[in-house]
């Protein structure tokens, strides 16, 4: 169930680039369609999350604390929530994208998708880790994957900073509200990768415990 939830979350993140491409193209129909898809996926993620919480035993016969699993689940779910926040704002408020922001915005979205996809690959190995008691060669391999996840998240941080600097350079050309909203959007998008990295770090704690 944790893995199924992460699949839905990843599908949400994968809608981010098409959403922004529609925004840049000024295609309101495609933008609204992408938003509806993200909303549906976020709803699926919520149902999976609530079902897992309701049926997760208070005590598990495996080397994992229930609270650790809930923490990972909440981080995963936050990614889908952030996707929905971004889509909602872009549909509800007209947000023209200045030319100099277009490539950096798409670069950030693709960097976030790459980071979250790597985080998902770590979650997809949870069953093997459980079978082996979070020890041995598989655990070593997952720790290497977590190191790579940190590197990817660092690259995404740089892409986020690059976009925010461009937003601030355009202060004289945009309203104060637009500057604030673009800053918030960049932060929301970047935070998806941050949550993805935190998922990996929580798995590292499971290995170390």
């Amino acid at each position: 169930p944790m893995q199924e939830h992460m699949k839905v979350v990843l599908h949400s993140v994968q809608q981010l680039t098409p959403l922004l491409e529609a925004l840049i193209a000024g295609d309101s129909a495609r933008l609204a369609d992408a938003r509806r898809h993200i909303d549906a996926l976020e709803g699926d993620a919520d149902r999976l999350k609530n079902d897992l919480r309701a049926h997760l035993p208070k005590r598990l016969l495996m080397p994992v604390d229930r609270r650790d699993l809930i923490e990972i689940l909440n981080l995963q779910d936050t990614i889908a929530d952030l996707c929905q926040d971004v889509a909602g704002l872009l549909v509800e408020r007209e947000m023209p994208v200045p030319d100099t922001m277009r490539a950096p915005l798409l670069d950030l979205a693709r960097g976030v998708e790459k980071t979250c996809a790597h985080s998902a690959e770590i979650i997809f190995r949870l069953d093997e880790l459980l079978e082996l008691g979070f020890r041995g060669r598989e655990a070593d391999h997952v720790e290497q994957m977590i190191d790579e996840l940190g590197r990817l998240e660092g690259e995404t941080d740089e892409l986020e900073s690059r976009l925010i600097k461009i937003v601030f350079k355009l202060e004289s050309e945009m309203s104060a509200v637009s500057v604030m909203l673009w800053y918030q959007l960049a932060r929301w998008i970047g935070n998806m990768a941050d949550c993805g990295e935190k998922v990996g770090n929580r798995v590292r704690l499971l290995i170390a415990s």
Side-chain angles (χ1 to χ4, degrees), residues 11-47:
H11 288 158
S12 296
V13 177
Q14 290 168 341
Q15 297 305 308
L16 192 60
T17 297
L19 178 85
L20 295 173
E21 288 174 340
L23 177 72
I24 290 169
D27 190 334
S28 57
R30 191 152 55 101
L31 184 67
D33 187 60
R35 191 247 180 113
R36 283 191 293 272
H37 196 178
I38 289 172
D39 281 348
L41 288 166
E42 195 278 337
D44 290 342
D46 273 348
R47 282 188 289 274

Side-chain angles (χ1 to χ4, degrees), residues 156-196:
T156 304
D157 274 348
E158 292 176 7
L159 292 170
E160 180 187 341
S161 296
R162 177 187 169 200
L163 177 60
I164 288 173
K165 286 177 182 177
I166 293 172
V167 170
F168 288 150
K169 284 181 181 178
L170 295 171
E171 279 184 276
S172 61
E173 301 174 27
M174 295 191 289
S175 69
V177 172
S178 292
V179 171
M180 179 191 71
L181 290 177
W182 275 118
Y183 174 80
Q184 183 63 69
L185 279 166
R187 294 290 294 157
W188 278 345
I189 295 170
N191 282 345
M192 296 178 205
D194 186 50
C195 287

Side-chain angles (χ1 to χ4, degrees), residues 30-88:
R30 191 152 55 101
L31 184 67
D33 187 60
R35 191 247 180 113
R36 283 191 293 272
H37 196 178
I38 289 172
D39 281 348
L41 288 166
E42 195 278 337
D44 290 342
D46 273 348
R47 282 188 289 274
L48 287 166
K49 175 192 69 178
N50 292 334
D51 186 63
L52 180 55
R53 281 176 171 173
H55 294 94
L56 195 62
K58 297 296 182 183
R59 294 183 180 179
L60 298 172
L61 296 176
M62 54 186 183
V64 181
D65 191 291
R66 181 180 187 274
R67 290 169 297 181
D68 292 325
L69 291 181
I70 294 296
E71 176 67 20
I72 292 171
L73 182 66
N74 288 340
L75 287 167
Q76 292 178 180
D77 203 62
T78 298
I79 297 171
D81 290 342
L82 287 166
C83 279
Q84 187 179 46
D85 289 342
V86 170

